[in-house]
Amino acid sequence: MKKFLCVILCAAVALTSGCSNVSQEEYNSLVEENSQLKADNERILDEKNDLEKENNTLKENLDVKTECFNICTWMLGRPQSAVAKNEFKNVIDGLTTEGTYYVENSEFTAKNVATFSSKFKPKEIAEYIKGFEDKLESGAESMFEAGEKNTVTIYRYENGNIIATFYLYKDKSNAVNHKAFFTQYGTDVADQYSLLNH
């Protein structure tokens, strides 16, 4: 009986060990596949994080563009009776500015338009824009304390093509925002403007 049990036990051990034998080649292949899957998982997680960041940036930009569009639409809707002052200046030969200041319901807003002749190079236009916008931004707090709601500045060529539109306003959280949007006609100016800000 003991011999019989011993034979059965040995057979069971032999069968069990025979079933669990995995060749080194199969093992290495599985380890390599596991490593590849881990690498793929990390890459996909990185891509997911990048896409989430890009999505958040797009949402923020959309919010800003919507806010600026609303300001521009609101500004265009000001009636003539709200115009408190209109100034037209010939700054230098080939550059004119027009400032329209509105007062309505105790809200003060301003629209500036700078028109450049074709003799101006993109760098010169960018320098003018930077100087004007820096001056506006430095006085923003006092302007808003005095009751100003927002300022829109449009830069354009004399043929009517818009180079850029700048917005200076307080958002819903009462933070001062200074945003710029360059058009397809202002790409050369945008490049020069970007260089001036670095």
Side-chain angles (χ1 to χ4, degrees):
M1 181 73 173
K2 283 185 181 178
K3 276 187 178 183
F4 181 69
L5 284 175
C6 192
V7 168
I8 290 177
L9 186 60
C10 286
V13 168
L15 283 173
T16 308
S17 63
C19 291
S20 65
N21 271 349
V22 175
S23 73
Q24 188 65 38
E25 189 179 304
E26 288 174 315
Y27 176 79
N28 291 344
S29 175
L30 288 171
V31 167
E32 187 179 327
E33 185 179 347
N34 187 39
S35 295
Q36 184 61 48
L37 288 171
K38 282 182 180 178
D40 288 347
N41 187 47
E42 286 178 20
R43 180 184 50 77
I44 289 168
L45 285 174
D46 287 344
E47 286 177 9
K48 178 184 172 267
N49 290 337
D50 289 344
L51 287 170
E52 283 177 351
K53 285 178 190 173
E54 186 179 344
N55 189 41
N56 290 336
T57 302
L58 288 170
K59 280 182 182 176
E60 288 170 15
N61 287 342
L62 180 61
D63 289 344
V64 169
K65 286 183 179 179
T66 300
E67 180 83 15
C68 292
F69 176 78
N70 290 341
I71 290 169
C72 204
T73 304
W74 185 82
M75 186 76 77
L76 290 170
R78 299 301 86 221
Q80 196 62 31
S81 59
V83 176
K85 188 177 179 185
N86 197 306
E87 296 178 334
F88 185 85
K89 290 182 189 171
N90 201 353
V91 180
I92 54 173
D93 184 38
L95 170 59
T96 58
T97 60
E98 183 180 356
T100 307
Y101 307 95
Y102 303 89
V103 177
E104 188 179 29
N105 300 325
S106 302
E107 290 180 334
F108 170 60
T109 56
K111 179 179 74 175
N112 303 302
V113 179
T115 305
F116 297 88
S117 73
S118 56
K119 77 174 200 167
F120 283 89
K121 292 180 173 45
K123 184 178 180 187
E124 295 169 320
I125 296 171
E127 287 170 348
Y128 177 84
I129 291 173
K130 177 152 176 52
F132 188 81
E133 293 299 326
D134 284 353
K135 184 178 172 186
L136 270 182
E137 191 169 11
S138 67
E141 279 301 332
S142 58
M143 288 190 309
F144 289 126
E145 283 173 16
E148 184 164 347
K149 184 176 174 72
N150 56 59
T151 297
V152 175
T153 307
I154 299 164
Y155 299 95
R156 66 181 184 180
Y157 289 112
E158 61 188 351
N159 65 3
N161 289 339
I162 305 292
I163 299 165
T165 306
F166 278 69
Y167 297 87
L168 186 63
Y169 65 97
K170 275 195 173 180
D171 62 21
K172 292 171 188 168
S173 66
N174 224 25
V176 174
N177 284 270
H178 195 188
K179 302 295 179 187
F181 299 101
F182 284 87
T183 71
Q184 63 182 1
Y185 303 108
T187 52
D188 292 347
V189 177
D191 291 341
Q192 293 298 321
Y193 185 81
S194 180
L195 291 173
L196 293 171
N197 284 306
H198 286 97

